[in-house]
Amino acid sequence: MAEQKITIQDRELIQAALGILDRLYKKGRHEVAAAVRTKDGKIYTGIHIEAKYSGYADVCGEISAIAVAVADGQSELDTIVAVWKNEKEEKFILEPCGRCRDVISDFSRDVNVIIGSLDKPIKVKIEKLIPHKPL
């Protein structure tokens, strides 16, 4: 997987995701947050919404952040990151699930995704996480 250097802007993006997670975390409801930066440098955040009675209606943090960006007229995504807090209040960077990878790559095969760990984040192109998706 071709990794790219993590920038100051990437660390700010991680902090934006952690900030929304800290602010809105609810065990069993809002455990994943995400932040997406657009090509023009704007940052949008979103939070995971777990359906209370149906596992089919969940909205991932990444999808939520992308929806906020799109609602503001933004569609040129640059970089996205998701973070998760467990029951012990430990925080982690979370790789996007298959549905999120699909949605992210629908915007561009060139979108960067921050994965790895909080102390050693890495950045890869979404195409590295979903390499065989047809155009």
Side-chain angles (χ1 to χ4, degrees):
M1 211 176 290
E3 299 173 15
Q4 303 167 55
K5 184 179 177 182
I6 294 292
T7 66
I8 292 170
Q9 292 82 8
D10 295 331
R11 294 201 181 275
E12 290 171 352
L13 192 66
I14 294 167
Q15 288 306 310
L18 289 168
I20 197 78
L21 182 64
D22 285 341
R23 191 164 62 85
L24 298 177
Y25 173 82
K26 288 185 183 171
K27 180 182 170 189
R29 191 102 170 115
H30 307 305
E31 297 169 341
V32 176
V36 62
R37 184 176 59 242
T38 58
K39 294 280 186 189
D40 65 0
K42 292 183 181 176
I43 293 177
Y44 297 89
T45 58
I47 192 82
H48 164 246
I49 301 170
E50 189 168 318
K52 204 169 191 178
Y53 301 106
S54 168
Y56 300 110
D58 288 3
V59 176
C60 296
E62 298 96 312
I63 304 296
S64 177
I66 290 169
V68 171
V70 170
D72 194 39
Q74 299 285 330
S75 62
E76 294 193 25
L77 308 182
D78 181 71
T79 305
I80 192 164
V81 64
V83 294
W84 171 64
K85 186 189 291 192
N86 67 16
E87 293 180 8
K88 296 178 184 177
E89 304 282 316
E90 299 166 319
K91 299 172 195 168
F92 304 89
I93 289 178
L94 188 66
E95 286 194 24
C97 70
R99 178 176 64 172
C100 288
R101 291 174 191 211
D102 191 37
V103 170
I104 294 164
S105 68
D106 280 349
F107 283 85
S108 170
R109 304 289 292 241
D110 200 41
V111 177
N112 298 300
V113 181
I114 298 172
I115 59 174
S117 63
L118 287 171
D119 59 335
K120 289 188 177 185
I122 60 174
K123 184 168 60 173
V124 298
K125 297 288 185 193
I126 187 64
E127 70 179 355
K128 298 295 181 186
L129 300 177
I130 189 167
H132 302 294
K133 179 179 177 178
L135 296 176

